[in-house]
PDB file of all heavy atoms in Angstrom:
ATOM      1  N   SER A  69     -19.443  14.727   3.263  1.00 53.00           N
ATOM      2  CA  SER A  69     -20.409  13.642   3.109  1.00 53.00           C
ATOM      3  C   SER A  69     -19.723  12.290   3.013  1.00 53.00           C
ATOM      4  O   SER A  69     -20.368  11.256   3.047  1.00 53.00           O
ATOM      5  CB  SER A  69     -21.256  13.860   1.853  1.00 53.00           C
ATOM      6  OG  SER A  69     -20.468  13.740   0.684  1.00 53.00           O
ATOM      7  N   LYS A  70     -18.388  12.294   2.879  1.00 53.00           N
ATOM      8  CA  LYS A  70     -17.635  11.054   2.745  1.00 53.00           C
ATOM      9  C   LYS A  70     -16.647  10.916   3.902  1.00 53.00           C
ATOM     10  O   LYS A  70     -15.445  10.786   3.706  1.00 53.00           O
ATOM     11  CB  LYS A  70     -16.903  11.018   1.403  1.00 53.00           C
ATOM     12  CG  LYS A  70     -17.838  11.016   0.197  1.00 53.00           C
ATOM     13  CD  LYS A  70     -17.046  10.962  -1.112  1.00 53.00           C
ATOM     14  CE  LYS A  70     -17.979  10.927  -2.310  1.00 53.00           C
ATOM     15  NZ  LYS A  70     -17.228  10.895  -3.590  1.00 53.00           N
ATOM     16  N   VAL A  71     -17.184  10.961   5.116  1.00 56.00           N
ATOM     17  CA  VAL A  71     -16.318  10.963   6.292  1.00 56.00           C
ATOM     18  C   VAL A  71     -15.562   9.652   6.453  1.00 56.00           C
ATOM     19  O   VAL A  71     -14.589   9.592   7.190  1.00 56.00           O
ATOM     20  CB  VAL A  71     -17.143  11.242   7.570  1.00 56.00           C
ATOM     21  CG1 VAL A  71     -17.695  12.658   7.551  1.00 56.00           C
ATOM     22  CG2 VAL A  71     -18.283  10.241   7.703  1.00 56.00           C
ATOM     23  N   ASN A  72     -16.009   8.588   5.792  1.00 86.00           N
ATOM     24  CA  ASN A  72     -15.351   7.293   5.926  1.00 86.00           C
ATOM     25  C   ASN A  72     -14.505   6.935   4.715  1.00 86.00           C
ATOM     26  O   ASN A  72     -14.112   5.796   4.550  1.00 86.00           O
ATOM     27  CB  ASN A  72     -16.398   6.195   6.166  1.00 86.00           C
ATOM     28  CG  ASN A  72     -17.073   6.338   7.522  1.00 86.00           C
ATOM     29  OD1 ASN A  72     -16.408   6.644   8.507  1.00 86.00           O
ATOM     30  ND2 ASN A  72     -18.367   6.136   7.560  1.00 86.00           N
ATOM     31  N   VAL A  73     -14.244   7.923   3.841  1.00 91.00           N
ATOM     32  CA  VAL A  73     -13.429   7.678   2.656  1.00 91.00           C
ATOM     33  C   VAL A  73     -12.029   8.245   2.876  1.00 91.00           C
ATOM     34  O   VAL A  73     -11.863   9.381   3.311  1.00 91.00           O
ATOM     35  CB  VAL A  73     -14.060   8.307   1.398  1.00 91.00           C
ATOM     36  CG1 VAL A  73     -13.125   8.150   0.196  1.00 91.00           C
ATOM     37  CG2 VAL A  73     -15.396   7.653   1.099  1.00 91.00           C
ATOM     38  N   THR A  74     -11.023   7.426   2.596  1.00 94.00           N
ATOM     39  CA  THR A  74      -9.630   7.839   2.735  1.00 94.00           C
ATOM     40  C   THR A  74      -8.887   7.533   1.439  1.00 94.00           C
ATOM     41  O   THR A  74      -9.368   6.772   0.603  1.00 94.00           O
ATOM     42  CB  THR A  74      -8.952   7.095   3.903  1.00 94.00           C
ATOM     43  OG1 THR A  74      -9.159   5.680   3.736  1.00 94.00           O
ATOM     44  CG2 THR A  74      -9.513   7.536   5.240  1.00 94.00           C
ATOM     45  N   HIS A  75      -7.701   8.131   1.286  1.00 95.00           N
ATOM     46  CA  HIS A  75      -6.906   7.829   0.103  1.00 95.00           C
ATOM     47  C   HIS A  75      -5.439   7.703   0.475  1.00 95.00           C
ATOM     48  O   HIS A  75      -5.003   8.148   1.540  1.00 95.00           O
ATOM     49  CB  HIS A  75      -7.109   8.886  -0.992  1.00 95.00           C
ATOM     50  CG  HIS A  75      -6.696  10.264  -0.588  1.00 95.00           C
ATOM     51  ND1 HIS A  75      -7.539  11.135   0.045  1.00 95.00           N
ATOM     52  CD2 HIS A  75      -5.518  10.929  -0.737  1.00 95.00           C
ATOM     53  CE1 HIS A  75      -6.920  12.276   0.271  1.00 95.00           C
ATOM     54  NE2 HIS A  75      -5.685  12.173  -0.184  1.00 95.00           N
ATOM     55  N   MET A  76      -4.663   7.086  -0.428  1.00 97.00           N
ATOM     56  CA  MET A  76      -3.261   6.773  -0.170  1.00 97.00           C
ATOM     57  C   MET A  76      -2.366   8.005  -0.258  1.00 97.00           C
ATOM     58  O   MET A  76      -2.428   8.767  -1.226  1.00 97.00           O
ATOM     59  CB  MET A  76      -2.749   5.752  -1.183  1.00 97.00           C
ATOM     60  CG  MET A  76      -3.184   4.326  -0.963  1.00 97.00           C
ATOM     61  SD  MET A  76      -2.362   3.251  -2.197  1.00 97.00           S
ATOM     62  CE  MET A  76      -2.956   1.651  -1.686  1.00 97.00           C
ATOM     63  N   ILE A  77      -1.519   8.175   0.743  1.00 96.00           N
ATOM     64  CA  ILE A  77      -0.467   9.191   0.688  1.00 96.00           C
ATOM     65  C   ILE A  77       0.793   8.611   1.328  1.00 96.00           C
ATOM     66  O   ILE A  77       0.751   7.558   1.979  1.00 96.00           O
ATOM     67  CB  ILE A  77      -0.854  10.492   1.408  1.00 96.00           C
ATOM     68  CG1 ILE A  77      -0.873  10.276   2.932  1.00 96.00           C
ATOM     69  CG2 ILE A  77      -2.186  11.057   0.931  1.00 96.00           C
ATOM     70  CD1 ILE A  77      -0.846  11.566   3.702  1.00 96.00           C
ATOM     71  N   VAL A  78       1.898   9.308   1.151  1.00 96.00           N
ATOM     72  CA  VAL A  78       3.122   9.036   1.901  1.00 96.00           C
ATOM     73  C   VAL A  78       3.673  10.374   2.368  1.00 96.00           C
ATOM     74  O   VAL A  78       3.305  11.430   1.834  1.00 96.00           O
ATOM     75  CB  VAL A  78       4.198   8.296   1.058  1.00 96.00           C
ATOM     76  CG1 VAL A  78       3.703   6.933   0.633  1.00 96.00           C
ATOM     77  CG2 VAL A  78       4.605   9.125  -0.154  1.00 96.00           C
ATOM     78  N   GLN A  79       4.520  10.346   3.372  1.00 93.00           N
ATOM     79  CA  GLN A  79       5.161  11.567   3.838  1.00 93.00           C
ATOM     80  C   GLN A  79       6.664  11.418   3.707  1.00 93.00           C
ATOM     81  O   GLN A  79       7.203  10.317   3.770  1.00 93.00           O
ATOM     82  CB  GLN A  79       4.787  11.878   5.280  1.00 93.00           C
ATOM     83  CG  GLN A  79       5.414  10.952   6.312  1.00 93.00           C
ATOM     84  CD  GLN A  79       5.106  11.365   7.725  1.00 93.00           C
ATOM     85  OE1 GLN A  79       3.961  11.271   8.165  1.00 93.00           O
ATOM     86  NE2 GLN A  79       6.113  11.820   8.456  1.00 93.00           N
ATOM     87  N   SER A  80       7.326  12.561   3.505  1.00 85.00           N
ATOM     88  CA  SER A  80       8.782  12.547   3.426  1.00 85.00           C
ATOM     89  C   SER A  80       9.348  12.400   4.833  1.00 85.00           C
ATOM     90  O   SER A  80       8.614  12.179   5.797  1.00 85.00           O
ATOM     91  CB  SER A  80       9.284  13.841   2.777  1.00 85.00           C
ATOM     92  OG  SER A  80       9.022  14.937   3.628  1.00 85.00           O
ATOM     93  N   THR A  81      10.654  12.542   4.977  1.00 74.00           N
ATOM     94  CA  THR A  81      11.276  12.369   6.285  1.00 74.00           C
ATOM     95  C   THR A  81      10.993  13.532   7.218  1.00 74.00           C
ATOM     96  O   THR A  81      11.264  13.455   8.400  1.00 74.00           O
ATOM     97  CB  THR A  81      12.801  12.196   6.138  1.00 74.00           C
ATOM     98  OG1 THR A  81      13.329  13.306   5.390  1.00 74.00           O
ATOM     99  CG2 THR A  81      13.122  10.903   5.415  1.00 74.00           C
ATOM    100  N   SER A  82      10.439  14.642   6.692  1.00 73.00           N
ATOM    101  CA  SER A  82      10.111  15.780   7.544  1.00 73.00           C
ATOM    102  C   SER A  82       8.890  15.479   8.393  1.00 73.00           C
ATOM    103  O   SER A  82       8.031  14.690   7.995  1.00 73.00           O
ATOM    104  CB  SER A  82       9.845  17.019   6.687  1.00 73.00           C
ATOM    105  OG  SER A  82      10.953  17.322   5.874  1.00 73.00           O
TER     106      SER A  82
END
Side-chain angles (χ1 to χ4, degrees):
S69 67
K70 296 181 179 179
V71 293
N72 292 319
V73 175
T74 52
H75 61 272
M76 284 184 177
I77 71 163
V78 297
Q79 72 175 69
S80 67
T81 54
S82 302

